Amino acid sequence: MFSFRPFAGLRLLCAVFALALAFVAGVGFSSVASAYDRGTVERQFEGWIRGDMRQAALRSGVSAAVYDRVTSGLTINWSLPDLVPPGTKPPAQRKQTQPEFSEPGPYFSENNLNYLAVKGRQLYNQYKPVLDQIEARYGVPGRIVLAIWGREMGYGAAEEKYDILQVLATKGFMTSSRQEMFQREFIAALQLIQSGAAPLDKRKASWAGAFGQPQLMPSNFQNYAVDFDGDGVIDVWNSVPDSLATIAKHLASDGWQRGRDWGYEAVIPDNVSCAQEGPDNARPISAWAKQGITRVGGKSFPPEELGKPGMMLVPQGRYGPEFVVTPNFYVLKEYNNSDLYALFVGNLADRIQYGMGAFVQPWQRTGTLLRSDVAAMQRKLEGMGYDVGGADGLVGFKTRRSIGDWQTRNRVSQTCWPTPELKTELLR
């Protein structure tokens, strides 16, 4: 989990990182067609750590002594996903390794959600005074903060087993995407170590480099970490108040609207287009209601919400639950940029405080596509003038609504979701 937001000091490093990225991309390396020699790549990594990356870190204010000490003996972690050694290319066919962007149903395990809800209610009662203080300061409800803690770390039960600096350096050197971001996070980690704010060289992280109960990246720690228990130390590993307040500050800083919910499961009539979703298509919730969209179970939208903006959300097109969400839904996505993540957090929060259960409309099985299959469909749609948000193989809202618009234009039943059958029809 992470949401990266660069901090001011690192914005000055663009020129330095451009050089580093060119080096990582293969400038100066011997050309490698498809295979590679690990020993050669490891030597290139060592040269990069001692050279370009070191220069960038020193220019950011990290001392040579600190840099050399914490990077001594640093090696590549070959077990991390999406590594692309210099001179090679990502595989042509790629599975959807992130459940957030594949078939959604398995992501919402009832056993997991029920367990987290029961435990969350216990913790809500245990930490209610702290949660009330956090909500008073940041405006974020306690149930939302607890749900993120539960989703990220199982309320502290999940294990972090990766070396933080090794993960960030490995991904900054040869991940298939976001190399520059991981390089910035590597430098941010060094700055935290040098300042004494967080002993990241002595802590573990997730495979993506996120750490602590809130699962922060180093820049998140710099921007959001809070000493809420007042002991003079920010401890996002062992202090529950610090961890929960840090989550709330993160959401508040990203624009959480005090007093509003995250969204409502809805029923979208068949004659209403599912290609109207997205944060760029907000309208008053009353306008959605005028189209015939209602809440599940015959409920009405809260009267105080009718004049406020809401957005249609169909995370599995016509094959799954449908929603009208508020801007707070997209604040949850700032924590982890996934529709399913934000829905999981929202549903878990509602279970914790209101005793709610699963979404009314079930997630259907629609067949499995490779990430490369989705990317091919996206490229085809782009060629016809549709904005799919980039041909990355991830099924975001722009891809879903582009599919819906294409289906309408071609008089195909509108589903707003890629399936093996649609792939055959679209790519023929």
Side-chain angles (χ1 to χ4, degrees):
M1 182 305 303
F2 61 87
S3 172
F4 174 71
R5 178 171 294 182
F7 52 95
L10 288 182
R11 295 193 184 104
L12 302 177
L13 294 173
C14 292
V16 176
F17 284 127
L19 177 63
L21 284 172
F23 188 76
V24 171
V27 176
F29 292 153
S30 59
S31 177
V32 182
S34 57
Y36 59 89
D37 175 71
R38 280 198 178 191
T40 298
V41 174
E42 286 166 354
R43 287 190 292 274
Q44 293 167 343
F45 174 79
E46 292 169 6
W48 176 73
I49 287 291
R50 292 194 304 267
D52 289 343
M53 199 67 248
R54 186 176 188 273
Q55 294 173 23
L58 267 55
R59 292 192 185 191
S60 77
V62 177
S63 72
V66 168
Y67 186 91
D68 294 341
R69 174 177 63 81
V70 300
T71 61
S72 177
L74 200 59
T75 59
I76 293 172
N77 186 331
W78 290 98
S79 71
L80 299 175
D82 296 330
L83 299 184
V84 182
T88 67
K89 296 180 179 180
Q93 291 191 334
R94 299 172 63 192
K95 292 183 178 181
Q96 293 281 18
T97 57
Q98 291 176 271
E100 293 93 330
F101 296 105
S102 58
E103 205 168 57
Y107 190 83
F108 294 87
S109 162
E110 271 301 297
N111 287 338
N112 186 33
L113 276 162
N114 284 333
Y115 166 77
L116 291 174
V118 171
K119 183 67 174 176
R121 283 191 285 273
Q122 295 172 355
L123 292 169
Y124 187 90
N125 292 329
Q126 179 180 349
Y127 290 106
K128 191 174 187 309
V130 172
L131 291 169
D132 288 347
Q133 292 172 32
I134 288 172
E135 182 170 2
R137 180 179 299 184
Y138 299 109
V140 182
R143 70 181 188 279
I144 294 290
V145 174
L146 280 178
I148 288 180
W149 185 25
R151 179 63 188 87
E152 292 292 349
M153 289 296 289
Y155 308 116
E159 180 184 2
E160 296 176 301
K161 58 183 180 179
Y162 294 92
D163 180 278
I164 295 176
L165 294 178
Q166 186 184 44
V167 168
L168 297 177
T170 298
K171 286 184 167 288
F173 180 67
M174 61 173 181
T175 191
S176 62
S177 62
R178 300 182 295 181
Q179 282 178 302
E180 184 178 356
M181 183 275 287
F182 281 110
Q183 291 174 10
R184 290 197 296 263
E185 293 294 351
F186 182 67
I187 289 180
L190 297 174
Q191 292 174 330
L192 289 172
I193 293 168
Q194 177 169 284
S195 69
L200 300 188
D201 53 334
K202 299 178 177 64
R203 293 288 188 175
K204 299 296 183 182
S206 72
W207 62 266
F211 57 86
Q213 301 300 324
Q215 283 295 276
L216 304 172
M217 296 298 282
S219 64
N220 297 147
F221 186 98
Q222 290 176 318
N223 290 330
Y224 309 123
V226 178
D227 172 22
F228 201 76
D229 60 16
D231 66 354
V233 177
I234 300 175
D235 185 354
V236 296
W237 291 273
N238 303 303
S239 170
V240 171
D242 288 4
S243 298
L244 297 182
T246 294
I247 293 171
K249 183 179 178 182
H250 194 321
L251 296 176
S253 299
D254 289 330
W256 184 272
Q257 294 184 7
R258 187 185 292 263
R260 296 201 71 185
D261 212 327
W262 64 270
Y264 311 92
E265 188 180 357
V267 177
I268 301 175
D270 291 341
N271 63 347
V272 175
S273 172
C274 57
Q276 300 181 82
E277 71 167 321
D280 54 353
N281 195 23
R283 59 190 69 178
I285 290 179
S286 60
W288 295 115
K290 286 178 181 178
Q291 291 192 40
I293 297 174
T294 60
R295 290 180 67 185
V296 293
K299 299 177 185 176
S300 300
F301 292 106
E304 67 274 13
E305 285 285 293
L306 291 175
K308 297 176 181 177
M311 289 73 79
M312 177 188 289
L313 176 74
V314 286
Q316 199 184 12
R318 291 290 190 178
Y319 297 108
E322 303 162 333
F323 304 87
V324 172
V325 298
T326 76
N328 284 342
F329 175 84
Y330 293 97
V331 174
L332 293 176
K333 286 188 65 177
E334 289 292 315
Y335 210 96
N336 185 322
N337 190 22
S338 158
D339 289 334
L340 300 191
Y341 175 90
L343 286 173
F344 189 104
V345 168
N347 182 246
L348 176 56
D350 290 346
R351 291 174 188 239
I352 288 172
Q353 186 163 358
Y354 306 130
M356 295 176 66
F359 297 126
V360 173
Q361 179 68 25
W363 304 95
Q364 299 181 41
R365 300 302 301 269
T366 59
T368 302
L369 289 170
L370 294 171
R371 184 167 173 175
S372 47
D373 293 333
V374 176
M377 297 171 72
Q378 290 170 323
R379 287 192 292 271
K380 183 67 177 288
L381 289 165
E382 282 183 330
M384 293 185 283
Y386 292 96
D387 177 11
V388 298
D392 55 7
L394 306 178
V395 189
F397 75 90
K398 288 186 176 181
T399 294
R400 296 193 295 264
R401 70 186 183 190
S402 293
I403 288 172
D405 286 337
W406 179 88
Q407 289 171 322
T408 298
R409 181 180 295 181
N410 289 273
R411 302 186 182 221
V412 176
S413 179
Q414 193 188 54
T415 66
C416 299
W417 184 254
T419 63
E421 294 76 20
L422 181 62
K423 173 198 164 191
T424 299
E425 189 164 5
L426 183 61
L427 298 182
R428 67 183 175 184

